[in-house]
Amino acid sequence: MALSFSSPEQVGFCGDDIIEEINRDPGFGQYFTDHMAVADWDPEAGWHSDRIVPYAPFSMDPSAAVFHYGQEIFEGLKAYKRADGSIWLFRPRNNAIRFMNSARRLALPELPEADFIKSVTALVTLDARWVPGADEQSLYLRPFMVASEDFIGVRPSKKAMYCCFASPVGAYFKSGVQPVDIWVTKTYSRVGADGTGAAKCGGNYAASLMPQEVAYQNGCSQVLFVDAATHTLVEELGGMNFFLVTAAGELVTPELNGNILPGVTRDSLLALAPSMDLTPVERSVSLDEVLEGLAGGAVREVFACGTAAVITPIGSLRAEDGEHAAPGDHEVTLRLRQRLLDIQYGRVDDPFDWTQKVC
Ligand SMILES: *Cc1c(COP(=O)(O)O)cnc(C)c1O
């Protein structure tokens, strides 16, 4: 039976004045809206008890499986406010389907696509006051699922909880669209072959955080990971996909080999490429090719992309052997970024029908 995520509440708690003040400079992921969507699962009843309730801490048993074995998945998507005040999602079906794929890999129950979309649209509609409307602002939505059975034996949990909450956000990087320096590590891997690399799960992030500390210590904001098996092929960042723009006019990104998260932003840029005089290419990309290409001019630009930060130009790749600058003006990167934002905010045609109106 389809879930409805209906809510007895029709009002929020925060005053409009407080929301307005928060939304003047929301930062990223610091403030949360009045409500959250929740549903529970067990093998007998399936998904049930779908509801929208005030945003509040959970009460969970200390033995709940998620606390011990990390059986958890999540998603990230945004609601965008247009100039006319209407609120839209960007390709939410892709997030819903990816959430089902992640669930399968983590031995969690699949939340049907329609129920995922309903939870998001119900929450956004109820908390519409919270969607900020200034340039590059949006309401970030964080659906997630945890194994909630109180049992510390090692097997897939027989209970799960789904939740989606929302956070008004501004630009991901405080300094605006500045090229960032990226640390390339061969010392640590994020995922291994046939592991959970293609699933959006907390465990992958847990593995990426210590290398990210190393990146900070080296003056970089993020890590670029290479494949765990040979340490020669570029994969992705801790939470963003990786692209290069070649002198031959190609938009190249590592192919989805099971270790790489299939990003919605990644897919969207590949689809937009031909209309921007770029040839989209998905193939394996060696680190040597990238570093030599930057030095020799065959690689013109490099950037990272994901829903949270949209597209971030990369100014240099730093590794133990030194710094490899990406010279140039990031012209193609910034053009792609603008085009994507223009579609997301409804400022230009949406040729692929990617945007979906909520309210
Ligand atoms: C979420 C995520 C991305 C970006 O995916 P989008 O759908 O574009 O937001 C890239 N890499 C990893 C590891 C991720 O978790």
Side-chain angles (χ1 to χ4, degrees), residues 26-28 135-137 169-174 176-177 308 337:
F28 195 94
D135 198 31
E136 301 238 350
Q137 289 187 329
V169 299
Y172 189 79
F173 292 107
K174 283 191 213 91
V177 198
R337 187 176 195 281

Side-chain angles (χ1 to χ4, degrees), residues 74-77 94-95 98 140 142 190-191 197 199-201 204-205 236-242 259-268 305-310:
F74 67 96
E75 269 303 324
L77 67 165
N94 294 53
N95 297 92
R98 189 169 68 190
Y140 186 81
R142 172 48 61 85
R190 195 182 75 94
V191 297
K200 203 168 178 75
C201 64
N204 292 344
Y205 279 70
E236 63 169 318
L237 284 71
M240 286 192 271
N241 293 117
F242 181 79
N259 302 345
I260 293 172
L261 201 282
V264 178
T265 317
R266 175 189 180 281
D267 186 73
S268 304
C305 73
T307 297
V310 197

Side-chain angles (χ1 to χ4, degrees), residues 11-349:
V11 290
F13 314 109
C14 242
D16 285 336
D17 50 339
I18 294 171
I19 296 176
E20 201 176 295
E21 194 180 316
I22 288 172
N23 282 351
R24 226 167 279 147
D25 183 19
F28 195 94
Q30 304 171 43
Y31 300 100
F32 306 101
T33 68
D34 291 328
H35 298 95
M36 58 187 187
V38 185
D40 299 311
W41 178 90
D42 63 59
E44 292 76 38
W47 286 106
H48 61 89
S49 303
D50 48 302
R51 59 209 185 264
I52 291 192
V53 292
Y55 182 91
F58 299 121
S59 171
M60 259 199 193
D61 199 280
S63 66
V66 64
F67 296 138
H68 307 278
Y69 310 122
Q71 203 186 351
E72 187 266 1
I73 57 171
F74 67 96
E75 269 303 324
L77 67 165
K78 285 172 168 175
Y80 306 83
K81 186 180 269 183
R82 297 194 173 178
D84 67 0
S86 60
I87 298 168
W88 298 65
L89 298 171
F90 183 73
R91 308 187 77 182
R93 280 197 62 206
N94 294 53
N95 297 92
I97 290 165
R98 189 169 68 190
F99 198 56
M100 294 171 78
N101 293 337
S102 298
R104 228 172 289 127
R105 183 62 183 83
L106 272 288
L108 282 162
E110 291 174 39
L111 181 70
E113 179 190 321
D115 295 330
F116 178 99
I117 304 263
K118 183 71 205 180
S119 73
V120 170
T121 54
L123 180 64
V124 171
T125 304
L126 186 58
D127 283 346
R129 293 184 309 145
W130 283 88
V131 185
D135 198 31
E136 301 238 350
Q137 289 187 329
S138 58
L139 187 69
Y140 186 81
L141 299 154
R142 172 48 61 85
F144 69 102
M145 192 195 299
V146 296
S148 53
E149 188 184 1
D150 43 350
F151 172 64
I152 55 169
V154 180
R155 58 152 170 74
S157 174
K158 288 186 182 159
K159 279 187 181 167
M161 185 193 69
Y162 168 76
C163 175
C164 178
F165 63 86
S167 170
V169 299
Y172 189 79
F173 292 107
K174 283 191 213 91
S175 41
V177 198
Q178 301 285 333
V180 296
D181 299 320
I182 298 294
W183 181 249
V184 185
T185 181
K186 292 186 180 182
T187 312
Y188 302 107
S189 297
R190 195 182 75 94
V191 297
D194 305 319
T196 54
K200 203 168 178 75
C201 64
N204 292 344
Y205 279 70
S208 76
L209 296 178
M210 190 270 258
Q212 187 167 312
E213 281 296 314
V214 178
Y216 292 151
Q217 285 156 18
N218 286 281
C220 295
S221 55
Q222 299 269 315
V223 183
L224 175 61
F225 291 94
V226 294
D227 74 295
T230 70
H231 290 177
T232 58
L233 302 174
V234 171
E235 289 192 334
E236 63 169 318
L237 284 71
M240 286 192 271
N241 293 117
F242 181 79
F243 274 87
L244 38 129
V245 180
T246 68
E250 292 169 325
L251 183 67
V252 183
T253 193
E255 67 196 339
L256 299 178
N257 58 2
N259 302 345
I260 293 172
L261 201 282
V264 178
T265 317
R266 175 189 180 281
D267 186 73
S268 304
L269 295 176
L270 290 170
L272 288 174
S275 65
M276 303 187 69
D277 296 323
L278 294 163
T279 309
V281 180
E282 296 174 83
R283 60 169 169 79
S284 67
V285 177
S286 76
L287 181 60
D288 283 349
E289 169 191 354
V290 177
L291 299 183
E292 283 161 22
L294 285 173
V299 175
R300 285 272 167 80
E301 301 178 22
V302 280
F303 66 84
C305 73
T307 297
V310 197
I311 291 180
T312 302
I314 296 174
S316 78
L317 295 173
R318 279 188 213 159
E320 253 114 40
D321 67 350
E323 173 152 338
H324 306 265
D329 53 7
H330 310 283
E331 189 266 328
V332 175
T333 301
L334 294 176
R335 206 151 46 84
L336 281 165
R337 187 176 195 281
Q338 194 59 49
R339 178 83 192 281
L340 185 61
L341 284 169
D342 283 343
I343 293 173
Q344 289 170 334
Y345 285 91
R347 296 186 291 243
V348 298
D349 266 13

